[in-house]
Amino acid sequence: LYEMGFLQILIGRSNGRAFGYLMSVISPSLELKDRTLAQHSLFYAAPECPGLGLKLQRAALARLKEKGAHEIFMRAGVRGSGDKMGVLYRRLGAQNFGEMYRLELGA
């Protein structure tokens, strides 16, 4: 997927050590013609790096918009700490969509 341009991976590093990562899967919409979607998948930010999670999210959204993504889907509460994820996504402007969050980038 990465080699075909359908996978975006961001890694937060300091002095060569990884403190966080965010992977997004990019795909054409199955519902709307000429629309590109992305879904955040694997995500982690080390507790010893406050603010890294939001920085990774914002950087990912900016790059996805550059790549032409129109909508981003984000899931909270499936494998990790759902309450914290929900707060983070609302800060980004995403709306609760059950346990799935959706953010329109307007690309």
Side-chain angles (χ1 to χ4, degrees):
L1 289 174
Y2 183 81
E3 290 175 4
M4 296 182 334
F6 296 124
L7 193 62
Q8 173 178 279
I9 303 170
L10 297 181
I11 302 173
R13 296 181 188 270
S14 179
N15 296 323
R17 182 175 170 207
F19 286 93
Y21 52 83
L22 174 56
M23 183 175 80
S24 305
V25 179
I26 306 163
S27 68
S29 173
L30 298 176
E31 299 172 325
L32 301 171
K33 186 177 178 181
D34 299 327
R35 304 263 306 177
T36 301
L37 310 176
Q39 181 167 343
H40 287 337
S41 181
L42 302 174
F43 176 56
Y44 173 75
E48 61 265 29
C49 295
L52 176 62
L54 195 53
K55 288 179 183 179
L56 283 170
Q57 293 283 340
R58 287 188 171 139
L61 293 175
R63 285 172 179 78
L64 289 167
K65 187 171 184 174
E66 289 171 6
K67 293 176 181 180
H70 297 87
E71 292 179 290
I72 312 301
F73 291 90
M74 311 167 210
R75 185 174 305 280
V78 178
R79 294 181 183 90
S81 177
D83 292 337
K84 291 181 181 179
M85 294 301 297
V87 169
L88 186 138
Y89 291 147
R90 283 189 294 278
R91 283 186 187 167
L92 293 168
Q95 299 171 356
N96 189 341
F97 194 64
E99 285 299 311
M100 179 73 78
Y101 289 78
R102 178 179 155 268
L103 177 66
E104 284 193 51
L105 294 180

XYZ file of all heavy atoms in Angstrom:
831
model
N 0.816 -1.193 0.000
C 0.000 0.000 0.000
C 0.864 1.263 0.000
O 0.533 2.236 -0.673
C -0.945 -0.001 1.196
C -2.094 -0.999 1.180
C -2.839 -0.979 2.496
C -3.024 -0.738 0.026
N 1.944 1.241 0.776
C 2.813 2.408 0.871
C 3.426 2.739 -0.482
O 3.432 3.895 -0.909
C 3.903 2.167 1.922
C 4.796 3.364 2.128
C 4.379 4.414 2.935
C 6.041 3.450 1.525
C 5.183 5.528 3.122
C 6.848 4.550 1.706
C 6.421 5.590 2.506
O 7.218 6.685 2.686
N 3.927 1.725 -1.171
C 4.570 1.938 -2.471
C 3.588 2.457 -3.513
O 3.973 3.153 -4.448
C 5.237 0.656 -2.951
C 6.456 0.288 -2.138
C 7.057 -1.040 -2.536
O 6.577 -1.675 -3.502
O 8.021 -1.453 -1.867
N 2.308 2.154 -3.360
C 1.292 2.615 -4.303
C 0.696 3.964 -3.889
O -0.168 4.499 -4.568
C 0.182 1.566 -4.426
C 0.693 0.263 -5.010
S -0.530 -1.059 -5.274
C -1.805 -0.774 -4.122
N 1.150 4.529 -2.760
C 0.667 5.826 -2.313
C -0.599 5.770 -1.486
O -1.233 6.801 -1.261
N -0.981 4.579 -1.015
C -2.216 4.425 -0.252
C -1.984 4.310 1.253
O -2.912 4.000 2.001
C -3.000 3.196 -0.730
C -3.472 3.305 -2.150
C -3.129 2.352 -3.075
C -4.257 4.374 -2.556
C -3.562 2.450 -4.394
C -4.689 4.487 -3.867
C -4.344 3.524 -4.783
N -0.771 4.548 1.701
C -0.455 4.428 3.118
C 0.446 5.593 3.504
O 1.437 5.874 2.840
C 0.257 3.101 3.376
C 0.411 2.637 4.802
C -0.940 2.420 5.455
C 1.204 1.345 4.834
N 0.085 6.286 4.573
C 0.893 7.378 5.096
C 1.298 7.012 6.522
O 0.444 6.660 7.335
C 0.087 8.673 5.088
C 0.787 9.822 5.770
C -0.019 11.086 5.685
O 0.006 11.767 4.678
N -0.748 11.405 6.745
N 2.586 7.096 6.807
C 3.086 6.779 8.140
C 3.921 7.948 8.640
O 4.886 8.341 7.990
C 3.937 5.493 8.136
C 3.123 4.325 7.582
C 4.455 5.197 9.546
C 3.939 3.083 7.307
N 3.540 8.501 9.786
C 4.307 9.557 10.434
C 4.879 9.000 11.727
O 4.184 8.285 12.457
C 3.431 10.763 10.749
C 2.801 11.492 9.575
C 1.983 12.671 10.080
C 3.851 11.975 8.610
N 6.131 9.351 11.996
C 6.786 8.903 13.223
C 7.365 10.112 13.939
O 8.080 10.905 13.325
C 7.906 7.877 12.915
C 7.319 6.673 12.173
C 8.608 7.449 14.203
C 8.350 5.687 11.673
N 7.030 10.254 15.206
C 7.587 11.326 16.030
C 8.862 10.821 16.694
O 8.812 9.878 17.479
N 9.985 11.453 16.362
C 11.288 11.022 16.890
C 12.007 12.168 17.588
O 11.824 13.319 17.235
C 12.198 10.538 15.758
C 11.726 9.321 15.037
C 12.749 8.950 13.939
N 12.261 7.908 13.090
C 12.437 6.612 13.303
N 13.096 6.215 14.352
N 11.953 5.728 12.471
N 12.869 11.800 18.502
C 13.785 12.734 19.143
C 15.089 11.995 19.389
O 15.083 10.919 20.002
C 13.197 13.249 20.463
O 14.103 14.129 21.085
N 16.165 12.541 18.882
C 17.492 11.914 19.011
C 17.489 10.460 18.545
O 18.091 9.590 19.158
C 18.001 12.002 20.449
C 18.228 13.426 20.889
O 18.668 14.261 20.103
N 17.910 13.727 22.123
N 16.758 10.192 17.467
C 16.726 8.857 16.899
C 15.745 7.893 17.548
O 15.510 6.811 17.036
N 15.166 8.287 18.654
C 14.212 7.414 19.350
C 12.783 7.767 18.959
O 12.405 8.940 18.944
C 14.377 7.572 20.861
C 13.460 6.668 21.640
C 13.707 6.751 23.127
N 12.627 6.049 23.805
C 12.224 6.316 25.023
N 12.821 7.243 25.732
N 11.230 5.638 25.561
N 11.991 6.766 18.626
C 10.584 6.977 18.270
C 9.742 7.107 19.529
O 9.823 6.271 20.428
C 10.079 5.837 17.411
N 8.924 8.164 19.593
C 8.030 8.393 20.721
C 6.563 8.314 20.318
O 5.684 8.402 21.169
C 8.309 9.754 21.361
C 9.575 9.781 22.166
C 10.763 10.194 21.589
C 9.579 9.378 23.486
C 11.941 10.222 22.327
C 10.744 9.392 24.235
C 11.933 9.822 23.651
N 6.308 8.170 19.027
C 4.933 8.074 18.585
C 4.850 7.795 17.097
O 5.833 7.942 16.372
N 3.667 7.370 16.656
C 3.455 7.096 15.241
C 1.972 7.198 14.928
O 1.121 7.073 15.806
C 3.979 5.707 14.848
C 3.472 4.593 15.725
C 2.235 4.005 15.511
C 4.241 4.136 16.796
C 1.769 2.983 16.333
C 3.783 3.120 17.624
C 2.548 2.547 17.381
O 2.083 1.551 18.192
N 1.680 7.462 13.660
C 0.304 7.511 13.182
C 0.294 7.008 11.735
O 0.994 7.548 10.886
C -0.264 8.927 13.235
C -1.645 9.151 12.625
C -2.694 8.237 13.249
C -2.052 10.600 12.768
N -0.480 5.971 11.491
C -0.603 5.408 10.154
C -2.000 5.690 9.631
O -2.994 5.499 10.342
C -0.363 3.902 10.183
C -0.405 3.275 8.801
S 0.029 1.524 8.815
C -1.513 0.815 9.369
N -2.086 6.153 8.382
C -3.370 6.435 7.733
C -3.443 5.674 6.423
O -2.474 5.638 5.664
C -3.511 7.934 7.446
O -3.332 8.687 8.617
N -4.599 5.073 6.154
C -4.846 4.358 4.907
C -5.664 5.288 4.012
O -6.683 5.830 4.440
C -5.612 3.041 5.155
C -5.880 2.313 3.846
C -4.823 2.151 6.109
N -5.210 5.479 2.775
C -5.837 6.397 1.828
C -6.495 5.571 0.727
O -5.902 4.626 0.213
C -4.773 7.336 1.217
C -3.996 8.042 2.326
C -5.413 8.335 0.255
C -2.690 8.665 1.878
N -7.738 5.957 0.351
C -8.432 5.203 -0.696
C -9.454 6.085 -1.404
O -9.923 7.066 -0.841
C -9.142 3.985 -0.100
O -10.209 4.404 0.710
N -9.820 5.700 -2.624
C -10.919 6.408 -3.279
C -12.235 6.078 -2.570
O -12.369 5.005 -1.992
C -10.914 5.855 -4.707
C -10.101 4.615 -4.665
C -9.237 4.662 -3.453
N -13.172 7.001 -2.614
C -14.482 6.767 -2.016
C -15.231 5.714 -2.809
O -15.198 5.712 -4.043
C -15.291 8.069 -2.000
O -16.608 7.824 -1.586
N -15.913 4.842 -2.111
C -16.763 3.854 -2.770
C -18.168 4.402 -2.998
O -18.969 3.794 -3.692
C -16.832 2.575 -1.923
C -15.504 1.857 -1.714
C -15.695 0.662 -0.787
C -14.887 1.432 -3.031
N -18.464 5.564 -2.400
C -19.802 6.141 -2.487
C -19.882 7.359 -3.401
O -20.873 7.558 -4.086
C -20.284 6.557 -1.094
C -20.384 5.400 -0.126
C -20.662 5.865 1.289
O -20.158 6.934 1.681
O -21.391 5.158 1.994
N -18.858 8.185 -3.382
C -18.896 9.439 -4.125
C -17.758 9.496 -5.152
O -16.595 9.273 -4.815
C -18.778 10.628 -3.167
C -19.872 10.722 -2.101
C -19.532 11.789 -1.075
C -21.213 11.013 -2.746
N -18.107 9.830 -6.365
C -17.126 9.936 -7.446
C -16.170 11.102 -7.175
O -16.574 12.135 -6.649
C -17.872 10.154 -8.766
C -16.996 10.138 -9.977
C -17.831 10.296 -11.225
C -16.928 10.329 -12.447
N -17.705 10.507 -13.672
N -14.926 10.929 -7.525
C -13.900 11.973 -7.399
C -13.651 12.420 -5.957
O -13.341 13.584 -5.714
C -14.256 13.192 -8.258
C -14.356 12.845 -9.734
O -13.611 11.951 -10.181
O -15.179 13.461 -10.422
N -13.819 11.514 -5.005
C -13.528 11.831 -3.600
C -12.503 10.842 -3.076
O -12.545 9.665 -3.396
C -14.780 11.741 -2.733
C -15.940 12.599 -3.168
C -16.095 13.891 -2.506
N -16.139 13.831 -1.057
C -16.224 14.921 -0.326
N -16.272 16.087 -0.892
N -16.254 14.841 0.974
N -11.606 11.345 -2.276
C -10.587 10.511 -1.647
C -10.816 10.530 -0.141
O -11.048 11.581 0.437
C -9.173 11.032 -1.979
O -9.007 11.018 -3.399
C -8.103 10.181 -1.345
N -10.730 9.366 0.472
C -10.927 9.214 1.914
C -9.640 8.719 2.552
O -8.787 8.140 1.892
C -12.022 8.194 2.200
C -13.347 8.346 1.474
C -14.262 7.185 1.827
C -13.991 9.662 1.828
N -9.532 8.912 3.849
C -8.428 8.335 4.610
C -8.974 7.886 5.956
O -9.934 8.467 6.469
C -7.303 9.338 4.798
N -8.376 6.857 6.497
C -8.748 6.412 7.836
C -7.487 6.244 8.659
O -6.552 5.556 8.263
C -9.508 5.086 7.802
C -9.908 4.654 9.196
C -10.921 3.542 9.209
O -11.576 3.262 8.222
N -11.062 2.917 10.363
N -7.480 6.935 9.810
C -6.367 6.755 10.733
C -6.452 5.343 11.290
O -7.518 4.877 11.675
C -6.428 7.749 11.883
C -6.080 9.154 11.498
N -5.318 9.484 10.406
C -6.396 10.324 12.077
C -5.164 10.784 10.342
N -5.821 11.323 11.342
N -5.323 4.691 11.336
C -5.279 3.322 11.818
C -4.411 3.273 13.076
O -4.826 3.748 14.119
C -4.731 2.419 10.701
O -4.705 1.090 11.115
N -3.243 2.737 12.976
C -2.351 2.612 14.138
C -1.929 3.992 14.636
O -1.524 4.849 13.850
C -1.110 1.806 13.752
C -1.366 0.405 13.212
C -0.067 -0.212 12.744
C -2.041 -0.458 14.248
N -2.012 4.194 15.951
C -1.663 5.487 16.547
C -1.142 5.264 17.954
O -1.726 4.509 18.727
C -2.904 6.381 16.579
C -2.685 7.715 17.250
C -1.690 8.571 16.834
C -3.506 8.104 18.292
C -1.504 9.806 17.445
C -3.337 9.342 18.918
C -2.334 10.188 18.485
N -0.031 5.934 18.259
C 0.522 5.884 19.608
C 1.322 7.153 19.857
O 2.045 7.628 18.966
C 1.441 4.673 19.802
C 2.147 4.693 21.134
C 1.465 4.372 22.301
C 3.478 5.073 21.232
C 2.096 4.423 23.535
C 4.120 5.114 22.467
C 3.429 4.794 23.607
O 4.051 4.849 24.822
N 1.209 7.699 21.050
C 2.036 8.815 21.498
C 2.457 8.519 22.926
O 1.614 8.269 23.785
C 1.282 10.127 21.413
N 3.742 8.520 23.170
C 4.278 8.194 24.492
C 3.845 9.243 25.515
O 3.859 10.445 25.231
C 5.800 8.120 24.442
N 3.448 8.798 26.717
C 3.002 9.733 27.746
C 4.084 10.720 28.177
O 3.776 11.814 28.629
C 2.603 8.840 28.923
C 2.791 7.436 28.501
C 3.351 7.414 27.118
N 5.355 10.371 27.987
C 6.435 11.279 28.385
C 6.655 12.407 27.376
O 7.537 13.247 27.573
C 7.751 10.528 28.652
C 8.302 9.773 27.473
C 7.896 8.310 27.442
O 6.828 7.947 27.953
O 8.665 7.522 26.876
N 5.838 12.443 26.318
C 5.913 13.512 25.309
C 4.554 14.195 25.184
O 3.842 14.005 24.196
C 6.342 12.944 23.962
S 7.997 12.277 23.945
N 4.159 15.005 26.160
C 2.855 15.660 26.103
C 2.727 16.518 24.840
O 3.652 17.228 24.472
C 2.807 16.533 27.357
C 4.013 16.219 28.155
C 4.936 15.389 27.323
N 1.570 16.408 24.201
C 1.318 17.190 22.995
C 1.723 16.515 21.703
O 1.355 16.960 20.618
N 2.492 15.433 21.785
C 2.949 14.758 20.566
C 1.784 14.180 19.773
O 1.764 14.258 18.547
C 3.957 13.651 20.902
C 4.433 12.815 19.716
C 5.160 13.682 18.696
C 5.320 11.673 20.181
N 0.797 13.616 20.455
C -0.339 13.023 19.756
C -1.068 14.033 18.886
O -1.357 13.774 17.718
N -1.343 15.212 19.422
C -2.030 16.251 18.668
C -1.150 16.746 17.519
O -1.644 17.007 16.418
C -2.419 17.401 19.597
C -3.433 18.403 19.077
C -4.702 17.729 18.578
C -3.767 19.418 20.148
N 0.154 16.857 17.749
C 1.069 17.271 16.673
C 1.089 16.253 15.541
O 1.074 16.620 14.361
C 2.486 17.477 17.219
C 2.627 18.707 18.063
C 4.042 18.855 18.597
C 4.140 20.062 19.514
N 5.482 20.214 20.069
N 1.127 14.972 15.876
C 1.088 13.929 14.845
C -0.223 13.994 14.063
O -0.226 13.877 12.828
C 1.248 12.541 15.469
C 2.647 12.122 15.889
C 2.593 10.830 16.710
C 3.545 11.936 14.672
N -1.329 14.174 14.772
C -2.636 14.241 14.119
C -2.700 15.428 13.160
O -3.137 15.295 12.014
C -3.755 14.342 15.158
C -3.934 13.107 16.004
C -4.641 11.996 15.271
O -5.325 12.193 14.289
N -4.483 10.778 15.769
N -2.272 16.593 13.616
C -2.328 17.793 12.763
C -1.401 17.663 11.556
O -1.768 18.061 10.446
C -2.007 19.034 13.575
C -3.145 19.406 14.504
C -2.924 20.748 15.167
N -4.128 21.136 15.879
C -4.134 21.704 17.068
N -3.004 21.962 17.691
N -5.264 22.034 17.639
N -0.224 17.113 11.759
C 0.704 16.917 10.643
C 0.125 15.929 9.630
O 0.219 16.136 8.413
C 2.055 16.422 11.159
N -0.504 14.873 10.123
C -1.119 13.883 9.228
C -2.241 14.511 8.423
O -2.345 14.288 7.205
C -1.641 12.689 10.033
N -3.093 15.310 9.077
C -4.204 15.952 8.368
C -3.691 16.895 7.283
O -4.230 16.926 6.173
C -5.097 16.709 9.352
C -5.865 15.858 10.351
C -6.610 16.743 11.347
C -6.812 14.906 9.656
N -2.653 17.659 7.584
C -2.092 18.585 6.595
C -1.553 17.825 5.380
O -1.807 18.208 4.235
C -0.989 19.426 7.227
N -0.844 16.733 5.621
C -0.290 15.947 4.514
C -1.386 15.234 3.718
O -1.308 15.136 2.502
C 0.738 14.959 5.038
C 2.046 15.640 5.411
C 3.003 14.691 6.118
N 4.258 15.325 6.446
C 4.452 16.159 7.461
N 3.455 16.493 8.252
N 5.639 16.677 7.702
N -2.404 14.746 4.414
C -3.513 14.092 3.715
C -4.271 15.091 2.842
O -4.685 14.764 1.736
C -4.457 13.422 4.713
C -3.880 12.178 5.396
C -4.739 11.775 6.583
C -3.731 11.036 4.406
N -4.425 16.300 3.320
C -5.084 17.338 2.520
C -4.262 17.627 1.268
O -4.808 17.770 0.173
C -5.296 18.601 3.341
C -6.119 19.640 2.623
C -6.492 20.792 3.526
C -7.398 21.754 2.764
N -7.906 22.815 3.627
N -2.929 17.712 1.414
C -2.049 17.920 0.264
C -2.193 16.793 -0.758
O -2.052 17.016 -1.962
C -0.589 18.003 0.714
C -0.226 19.257 1.461
C 1.170 19.201 2.069
O 1.909 18.223 1.817
O 1.517 20.153 2.792
N -2.472 15.591 -0.272
C -2.623 14.427 -1.149
C -4.027 14.334 -1.746
O -4.322 13.402 -2.478
C -2.299 13.143 -0.379
C -0.844 13.052 0.023
C -0.575 11.823 0.867
C 0.890 11.794 1.261
N 1.230 10.630 2.074
N -4.907 15.288 -1.413
C -6.237 15.330 -1.996
C -7.323 14.620 -1.218
O -8.422 14.424 -1.732
N -7.062 14.250 0.029
C -8.098 13.591 0.837
C -9.186 14.591 1.204
O -8.901 15.726 1.573
C -7.482 12.986 2.096
N -10.442 14.174 1.084
C -11.588 15.012 1.392
C -12.147 14.740 2.789
O -12.628 15.641 3.450
C -12.712 14.780 0.372
C -12.338 15.166 -1.009
N -11.707 14.297 -1.874
C -12.484 16.323 -1.678
C -11.501 14.918 -3.024
N -11.965 16.140 -2.933
N -12.129 13.475 3.189
C -12.683 13.095 4.484
C -11.702 12.167 5.194
O -11.088 11.310 4.567
C -14.002 12.340 4.320
C -15.145 13.162 3.795
C -16.392 12.330 3.633
O -16.408 11.479 2.724
O -17.328 12.518 4.433
N -11.608 12.346 6.510
C -10.759 11.489 7.335
C -11.655 10.827 8.369
O -12.457 11.497 9.021
C -9.673 12.300 8.077
C -8.958 13.265 7.132
C -8.700 11.363 8.786
C -8.277 12.637 5.969
N -11.504 9.534 8.524
C -12.246 8.788 9.539
C -11.271 8.351 10.625
O -10.162 7.900 10.339
C -12.949 7.585 8.912
C -14.072 7.996 8.006
C -13.855 8.225 6.660
C -15.344 8.186 8.519
C -14.879 8.636 5.830
C -16.383 8.597 7.696
C -16.151 8.822 6.351
N -11.711 8.498 11.875
C -10.865 8.202 13.031
C -11.690 7.398 14.026
O -12.822 7.758 14.315
C -10.417 9.508 13.689
C -9.865 10.529 12.736
S -9.745 12.138 13.557
C -9.984 13.223 12.180
N -11.139 6.341 14.534
C -11.869 5.481 15.465
C -11.328 5.672 16.880
O -10.138 5.780 17.092
C -11.717 4.025 15.050
C -12.540 3.081 15.907
C -12.498 1.655 15.394
N -12.899 1.505 14.018
C -14.162 1.469 13.589
N -15.140 1.606 14.442
N -14.428 1.290 12.322
N -12.233 5.707 17.835
C -11.856 5.821 19.244
C -12.488 4.679 20.023
O -13.611 4.280 19.742
C -12.316 7.160 19.821
N -11.770 4.162 20.988
C -12.338 3.208 21.919
C -12.346 1.769 21.470
O -12.993 0.949 22.093
N -11.642 1.437 20.419
C -11.660 0.053 19.952
C -10.568 -0.756 20.638
O -10.822 -1.774 21.245
C -11.494 -0.012 18.423
C -11.459 -1.451 17.954
C -12.627 0.721 17.757
N -9.348 -0.275 20.542
C -8.232 -1.011 21.129
C -7.542 -0.235 22.251
O -6.955 -0.798 23.116
C -7.205 -1.357 20.054
C -7.744 -2.324 19.038
C -6.676 -2.644 18.005
N -7.209 -3.506 16.985
C -7.796 -3.102 15.873
N -7.905 -1.815 15.639
N -8.260 -3.943 15.000
N -7.587 1.080 22.154
C -6.866 1.896 23.117
C -7.801 2.619 24.060
O -8.922 2.196 24.308
N -7.357 3.728 24.551
C -8.118 4.522 25.500
C -9.087 5.416 24.738
O -8.723 6.473 24.241
C -7.159 5.361 26.345
O -7.879 6.177 27.223
N -10.325 4.988 24.624
C -11.323 5.676 23.816
C -11.648 7.079 24.272
O -11.814 7.971 23.460
N -11.753 7.300 25.577
C -12.113 8.632 26.054
C -11.074 9.669 25.646
O -11.414 10.749 25.199
C -12.274 8.637 27.578
C -13.475 7.825 28.030
O -14.391 7.635 27.208
O -13.481 7.392 29.186
N -9.818 9.346 25.796
C -8.760 10.282 25.422
C -8.753 10.525 23.921
O -8.526 11.640 23.472
C -7.396 9.766 25.874
C -7.233 9.780 27.383
C -5.875 9.293 27.779
C -5.734 9.296 29.291
N -4.430 8.813 29.719
N -8.996 9.494 23.141
C -9.009 9.656 21.687
C -10.163 10.563 21.275
O -10.006 11.418 20.411
C -9.132 8.305 20.977
C -7.929 7.405 21.165
S -6.400 8.147 20.583
C -6.772 8.314 18.846
N -11.322 10.390 21.869
C -12.463 11.232 21.538
C -12.187 12.706 21.807
O -12.504 13.565 20.995
N -11.560 13.020 22.926
C -11.215 14.408 23.261
C -10.251 14.962 22.220
O -10.425 16.080 21.727
C -10.601 14.483 24.682
C -10.004 15.852 24.935
C -11.642 14.159 25.727
N -9.254 14.190 21.857
C -8.270 14.639 20.873
C -8.929 14.928 19.529
O -8.702 15.969 18.925
C -7.182 13.574 20.707
C -6.011 13.968 19.830
C -4.720 13.501 20.462
C -6.156 13.364 18.461
N -9.794 14.044 19.051
C -10.443 14.241 17.756
C -11.375 15.447 17.784
O -11.454 16.198 16.816
C -11.205 12.984 17.344
C -10.290 11.830 17.001
C -10.693 10.537 17.282
C -9.065 12.029 16.403
C -9.874 9.463 16.977
C -8.238 10.966 16.094
C -8.641 9.684 16.382
O -7.822 8.635 16.077
N -12.086 15.673 18.892
C -12.958 16.844 18.973
C -12.137 18.128 18.924
O -12.549 19.111 18.318
C -13.823 16.785 20.236
C -14.994 15.808 20.096
C -15.985 15.903 21.251
N -15.435 15.478 22.526
C -15.346 14.208 22.926
N -15.768 13.233 22.158
N -14.828 13.915 24.111
N -10.950 18.132 19.521
C -10.069 19.305 19.456
C -9.663 19.606 18.018
O -9.421 20.749 17.665
C -8.811 19.086 20.291
C -9.023 19.241 21.759
C -7.724 19.147 22.494
N -7.955 19.144 23.921
C -7.039 18.818 24.810
N -5.824 18.473 24.427
N -7.326 18.824 26.092
N -9.561 18.576 17.200
C -9.212 18.762 15.797
C -10.399 19.237 14.969
O -10.238 19.630 13.820
C -8.679 17.448 15.202
C -7.344 16.975 15.759
C -7.067 15.552 15.316
C -6.236 17.911 15.323
N -11.596 19.181 15.531
C -12.789 19.609 14.818
C -13.638 18.466 14.285
O -14.638 18.691 13.611
N -13.253 17.223 14.560
C -14.029 16.072 14.089
C -15.311 15.940 14.905
O -15.370 16.370 16.059
C -13.207 14.787 14.198
N -16.322 15.365 14.293
C -17.601 15.162 14.953
C -17.780 13.696 15.313
O -17.381 12.816 14.547
C -18.742 15.580 14.025
C -18.681 17.023 13.644
C -19.678 17.360 12.556
O -20.366 16.495 12.042
N -19.746 18.622 12.207
N -18.382 13.446 16.470
C -18.637 12.081 16.907
C -19.566 11.392 15.912
O -20.584 11.922 15.521
C -19.261 12.091 18.299
C -19.359 10.712 18.900
O -19.297 9.708 18.200
N -19.498 10.651 20.193
N -19.186 10.222 15.502
C -19.935 9.442 14.516
C -20.071 8.046 15.095
O -19.554 7.075 14.571
C -19.133 9.451 13.202
C -19.885 8.984 11.995
C -20.974 9.678 11.520
C -19.478 7.841 11.328
C -21.639 9.252 10.396
C -20.148 7.403 10.208
C -21.228 8.109 9.736
N -20.747 7.961 16.275
C -20.755 6.722 17.057
C -19.391 6.613 17.706
O -18.944 7.534 18.354
N -18.714 5.540 17.497
C -17.333 5.411 17.952
C -16.365 5.734 16.820
O -15.186 5.540 16.925
C -17.055 4.014 18.496
C -17.650 3.772 19.861
C -17.100 4.712 20.920
O -15.867 4.872 21.033
O -17.917 5.319 21.634
N -16.906 6.213 15.728
C -16.092 6.612 14.583
C -16.209 8.124 14.451
O -17.301 8.686 14.600
C -16.604 5.929 13.314
C -15.849 6.274 12.053
S -14.237 5.507 11.981
C -14.691 3.849 11.498
N -15.108 8.796 14.195
C -15.116 10.236 14.005
C -14.806 10.536 12.551
O -14.038 9.822 11.900
C -14.077 10.895 14.922
C -14.477 10.867 16.366
C -14.328 9.697 17.114
C -15.036 11.974 16.973
C -14.721 9.650 18.436
C -15.426 11.925 18.305
C -15.266 10.770 19.023
O -15.646 10.730 20.329
N -15.422 11.612 12.044
C -15.268 12.004 10.639
C -14.886 13.467 10.582
O -15.514 14.302 11.236
C -16.582 11.778 9.899
C -16.577 12.178 8.475
C -17.969 11.874 7.868
N -18.219 12.711 6.738
C -18.827 13.895 6.774
N -19.276 14.356 7.904
N -18.987 14.590 5.687
N -13.875 13.796 9.778
C -13.430 15.177 9.610
C -13.360 15.473 8.130
O -12.701 14.760 7.378
C -12.047 15.373 10.254
C -11.417 16.741 10.108
C -12.215 17.781 10.869
C -9.986 16.712 10.602
N -14.073 16.522 7.681
C -14.005 16.938 6.287
C -12.868 17.933 6.141
O -12.796 18.920 6.878
C -15.314 17.588 5.849
C -16.423 16.586 5.608
C -17.610 17.198 4.881
O -17.394 17.839 3.843
O -18.716 17.018 5.373
N -11.971 17.682 5.178
C -10.861 18.583 4.945
C -11.171 19.611 3.867
O -10.487 20.602 3.753
C -9.610 17.786 4.525
C -9.035 16.871 5.598
C -7.810 16.149 5.065
C -8.678 17.662 6.842
N -12.179 19.338 3.055
C -12.536 20.285 2.008
C -11.482 20.413 0.928
O -11.328 21.460 0.329
N -10.733 19.345 0.695
C -9.670 19.374 -0.324
C -10.272 19.386 -1.709
O -11.358 18.979 -1.947
C -8.746 18.176 -0.166
